Amino acid sequence: MNTCETISYSPLSTLGNIAWKATSLVANLLQTERPHPSWAPGPLPKASERSRPDFGFPRSTQSLCPGCNKEAVEAVLNGSEPLSSFRDRPGVIEAQLVEEAGRILMRKACPIHGPYEDVISNDPAFTERMESLYFGNDFDRSAGLARTHEGPLSVTKGRASFLIVDLTNRCNMKCTPCFMDANQQHYVHEMTIADVKQVFDRAQAIKPRREISILFSGGEPTIAPVFLDAVRYARKAGFTRLHVATNGIRFAEDLEFVKQSKEAGLHGVYLQIDGTTNAANAHRGVANLFDVKVRALDNIKRAGMRATLQVTVVNGLNNTGLGNLVQFAVENIDRVQGVVFQPIMFAGRDANTSDEARYERRYTLSDLAHDLSQQSPGEIEVMRDWFPMSVYSAFSHVLDQANPFAEQGSVYPDIHPNHGQFCPLIVNSKSGVCVPLARFFNVDGFVKDLRVIGDRFNGRILTRLQVTASIIRNFKADAAPPDLRPGDLLNLFRQMQVRFKYDGSELRECNWRLFIVAGMWFQDLFNFDLSSIQMSSTVVAANSQDGEISFCAYNAAGWRAMNEDLNKTAQLSEWHKLHGRHTIYANGKLVDIEVVPSYQLQTQTGNQTPTPTYSEREMVL
């Protein structure tokens, strides 16, 4: 039977409940010993065995003093202290998370540098909901996962779901925000192919062996001479989920290069974008930057890939145009598979922002949920449609249970619920209709069912039957779009499985596609929370012996500055003599590309608040 064939909805919920009860009865009778996959240090844990950080407010945690941390980093850079001194003493102080006047605040005080305060959430009820849905860590890194550097900034829990490989600190732009301060250093830090091989050989040797998404980054990774060879080697080493984080300039300029990237093994593209007009992107110093993005998207599609839009959100700069970005992505569902919004982290070029400016620009994930509720298509509801990223881990756990003989574990994004959240939407690729999944599907109930299934350990066939029964029984037919058919619903979950258990297979094509809007809040020195850092699912592979380092610790807490300085390739003047100067687009310079007329969408001329600019001190040079 065709999976997209129309079937009557009316009996589905009843049938689903009957199937759930029947399979649960069989599952209880036929429970087997918990599987111990060859890739894992122990048996798959039950719900009661998975660890959780402290939740609720008020609560205490450990943070960093911005002043002490900067002094510790500077001491290593000027040679007065060894790296080991920073590793052990990066400036840790106690901090309190408190609810006050409708906000969640972090407060901390250093005896030397005084008090610090920053906002964590502007909606305590929303934040408490995210914490209540957290699924839990599975394996402690001390139980078999390779540790990073020892010390308080170490990642101690979880498999990690993204491994970032910074190929270069050079960039073909010079804009702000920029968490790594590209093109500002007096030296060049660039990976060689030997560095790349070391990174991937080390990552592949980690136990338990995990399926992980590789994200080539920088600087601008596409201008690194080793980019294509790095992609090829990662693929050769056994990694299949290969992505690049790019500003899109080279992909817009050179279709052949995009095709070569795909042939080398690139799986997808994270394309940086700030808004849906050239004006909304002009603060980055390129006059036609939105045209660059749409040309890049066109070339990405022509090469056989899709993109995820990656948006840095700054309060007062582009937060009023987020709904336009979602609409733009929905209208280009054949090119775009999701949007990741990343509230600004005050690191790199923005590390020394004044307190006043930081308070004005600070943006939280609760702000994102509310802004998209007001701006987005599909009538997103704040308390219904958002979930912590870690609920995916429930799905991953069941996948691992159903495939106990797999060579590696599934992607397990057990990121702290205060720092990784998502809103699943579905989009009809024919009509453009966009609907939140939770409007017609009980996601909370489905996750509870997955917890039950995950504790039973009944083998592949029975596990799949239970998952299917749960999908059917949590489907609310009366709230679903009229043209959503049962086969489409099951296909949406196949899309989720391929997304988190990527095997290169093509999905069965139906009209409805899963579309993810995500919020990833990376920490800076002012809201740094070690309980989140120690379970980071986004790590950076340093080309040194320090191994995998939390993204936030690498960029905000000083590891990048020390790693790149201690392992620099050449002084900038030496590099220019040997290689010349690469093109940098700034001060309103145009990128010479052909504009794609079909992308001149209504979002460009719609009702969008003009984009303010930074002060003269902070404008691009």
Side-chain angles (χ1 to χ4, degrees):
M1 181 178 67
N2 189 314
T3 60
C4 296
E5 181 179 335
T6 301
I7 301 176
S8 173
Y9 287 118
S10 55
L12 281 180
S13 180
T14 300
L15 287 175
N17 279 310
I18 293 172
W20 173 257
K21 292 177 181 178
T23 55
S24 294
L25 178 62
V26 175
N28 287 331
L29 293 173
L30 300 180
Q31 287 192 60
T32 59
E33 185 178 351
R34 284 189 290 168
H36 183 165
S38 60
W39 52 264
L44 295 176
K46 292 185 176 183
S48 60
E49 298 169 338
R50 287 189 288 270
S51 62
R52 299 162 59 89
D54 290 336
F55 290 140
F57 307 99
R59 67 173 183 256
S60 299
T61 187
Q62 288 187 312
S63 185
L64 294 179
C65 167
C68 290
N69 177 263
K70 290 178 181 178
E71 290 173 359
V73 172
E74 184 58 36
V76 175
L77 294 177
N78 65 28
S80 61
E81 293 286 348
L83 185 62
S84 58
S85 69
F86 175 86
R87 182 181 288 114
D88 296 331
R89 298 181 300 279
V92 176
I93 58 174
E94 296 298 315
Q96 300 293 320
L97 293 172
V98 298
E99 180 178 347
E100 183 179 287
R103 301 181 298 167
I104 304 295
L105 302 173
M106 173 178 279
R107 289 193 176 123
K108 53 190 177 181
C110 172
I112 301 173
H113 298 98
Y116 298 91
E117 179 181 284
D118 215 324
V119 62
I120 303 299
S121 170
N122 285 305
D123 186 343
F126 174 79
T127 301
E128 288 168 2
R129 169 173 161 75
M130 294 300 103
E131 293 186 350
S132 72
L133 294 173
Y134 179 69
F135 183 68
N137 302 119
D138 60 350
F139 297 112
D140 194 305
R141 288 204 168 209
S142 64
L145 275 161
R147 300 293 293 270
T148 57
H149 53 88
E150 297 295 329
L153 300 184
S154 296
V155 178
T156 60
K157 298 182 182 299
R159 311 178 199 179
S161 54
F162 270 93
L163 180 65
I164 297 177
V165 181
D166 285 339
L167 297 179
T168 179
N169 70 341
R170 297 184 299 127
C171 187
N172 49 10
M173 293 178 64
K174 195 171 185 179
C175 56
T176 187
C178 180
F179 61 78
M180 61 87 58
D181 205 11
N183 288 330
Q184 286 293 104
Q185 305 302 328
H186 61 276
Y187 58 81
V188 170
H189 176 271
E190 197 132 321
M191 280 195 179
T192 64
I193 194 61
D195 295 327
V196 169
K197 290 180 177 180
Q198 180 192 52
V199 161
F200 287 117
D201 290 349
R202 184 170 55 201
Q204 198 64 286
I206 285 180
K207 303 294 183 182
R209 193 173 183 214
R210 67 265 162 93
E211 181 155 1
I212 193 167
S213 294
I214 305 300
L215 184 62
F216 293 101
S217 186
E220 172 53 45
T222 62
I223 70 172
V226 300
F227 174 68
L228 292 176
D229 286 337
V231 175
R232 292 188 189 101
Y233 188 81
R235 188 70 182 87
K236 180 181 177 182
F239 296 95
T240 56
R241 305 169 62 90
L242 307 179
H243 306 80
V244 62
T246 177
N247 57 34
I249 290 178
R250 191 164 184 195
F251 276 13
E253 292 176 322
D254 190 349
L255 173 61
E256 186 58 34
F257 177 75
V258 186
K259 291 179 177 178
Q260 290 173 359
S261 301
K262 168 67 174 176
E263 291 168 0
L266 198 67
H267 173 208
V269 179
Y270 280 77
L271 181 66
Q272 184 279 324
I273 189 170
D274 287 324
T276 56
T277 66
N278 281 324
N281 293 272
H283 63 280
R284 292 193 179 270
V286 180
N288 62 338
L289 195 52
F290 181 66
D291 294 338
V292 170
K293 310 301 179 181
V294 295
R295 169 53 72 185
L297 285 172
D298 192 56
N299 287 346
I300 288 165
K301 180 188 177 182
R302 291 166 71 184
M305 296 183 288
R306 291 171 74 196
T308 297
L309 303 185
Q310 192 168 29
V311 187
T312 300
V313 189
V314 183
N315 189 50
L317 180 71
N318 65 335
N319 59 300
T320 59
L322 307 185
N324 286 338
L325 280 160
V326 173
Q327 183 64 45
F328 171 76
V330 166
E331 292 174 3
N332 291 276
I333 190 66
D334 59 332
R335 294 162 172 81
V336 181
Q337 64 181 5
V339 184
V340 177
F341 292 102
Q342 297 178 342
I344 183 173
M345 62 184 300
F346 292 96
R349 196 160 297 158
D350 302 280
N352 296 319
T353 300
S354 68
D355 288 344
E356 181 181 7
R358 175 166 52 84
Y359 295 150
E360 290 176 354
R361 297 177 195 164
R362 177 65 79 192
Y363 194 78
T364 72
L365 292 184
S366 64
D367 298 328
L368 174 67
H370 282 275
D371 281 349
L372 285 179
S373 177
Q374 297 170 11
Q375 300 173 22
S376 289
E379 299 179 0
I380 294 174
E381 294 184 10
V382 172
M383 297 296 282
R384 182 194 66 188
D385 296 325
W386 285 89
F387 304 90
M389 199 76 71
S390 62
V391 302
Y392 271 126
S393 301
F395 194 76
S396 302
H397 180 73
V398 171
L399 285 176
D400 288 339
Q401 174 187 319
N403 297 277
F405 302 110
E407 294 184 357
Q408 56 189 10
S410 303
V411 171
Y412 192 93
D414 56 342
I415 184 172
H416 195 288
N418 293 354
H419 297 282
Q421 299 162 11
F422 76 107
C423 173
L425 308 174
I426 65 165
V427 177
N428 189 299
S429 59
K430 302 286 186 177
S431 66
V433 171
C434 177
V435 180
L437 180 66
R439 179 192 293 181
F440 64 90
F441 186 78
N442 183 2
V443 178
D444 292 36
F446 179 59
V447 173
K448 289 179 181 177
D449 288 350
L450 290 179
R451 290 177 185 269
V452 173
I453 296 170
D455 275 359
R456 283 180 175 152
F457 308 107
N458 289 121
R460 175 179 294 187
I461 295 176
L462 188 51
T463 295
R464 287 186 172 182
L465 287 174
Q466 287 187 286
V467 171
T468 302
S470 177
I471 291 172
I472 295 172
R473 87 188 194 110
N474 284 294
F475 175 58
K476 298 179 287 186
D478 59 342
D483 56 344
L484 179 77
R485 294 163 291 196
D488 297 327
L489 180 66
L490 294 176
N491 188 58
L492 291 172
F493 287 89
R494 292 190 188 98
Q495 292 179 39
M496 184 183 296
Q497 179 173 344
V498 170
R499 186 175 289 220
F500 279 83
K501 193 72 178 175
Y502 179 69
D503 59 6
S505 63
E506 293 297 324
L507 289 171
R508 196 172 312 178
E509 284 297 330
C510 288
N511 292 341
W512 291 97
R513 298 188 183 179
L514 184 66
F515 183 87
I516 300 298
V517 174
M520 292 290 291
W521 196 22
F522 295 111
Q523 302 171 69
D524 50 54
L525 291 176
F526 301 94
N527 56 22
F528 211 85
D529 185 342
L530 264 66
S531 67
S532 176
I533 294 298
Q534 291 166 354
M535 53 187 282
S536 175
S537 67
T538 303
V539 294
V540 179
N543 64 326
S544 66
Q545 296 306 309
D546 291 307
E548 297 179 5
I549 303 172
S550 159
F551 179 88
C552 301
Y554 193 72
N555 290 289
W559 273 105
R560 176 188 287 276
M562 293 180 296
N563 177 62
E564 293 188 351
D565 183 80
L566 296 173
N567 297 282
K568 55 181 169 283
T569 305
Q571 293 295 326
L572 189 59
S573 58
E574 297 171 357
W575 179 272
H576 287 160
K577 288 178 182 178
L578 291 173
H579 304 281
R581 295 176 180 268
H582 67 277
T583 301
I584 296 178
Y585 294 91
N587 296 321
K589 186 174 182 178
L590 292 168
V591 180
D592 187 14
I593 58 165
E594 180 183 354
V595 176
V596 185
S598 62
Y599 279 84
Q600 306 310 301
L601 303 175
Q602 292 181 354
T603 49
Q604 282 195 263
T605 56
N607 183 20
Q608 182 168 329
T609 303
T611 303
T613 59
Y614 286 117
S615 66
E616 183 178 351
R617 179 178 63 84
E618 294 160 319
M619 285 293 288
V620 291
L621 301 179

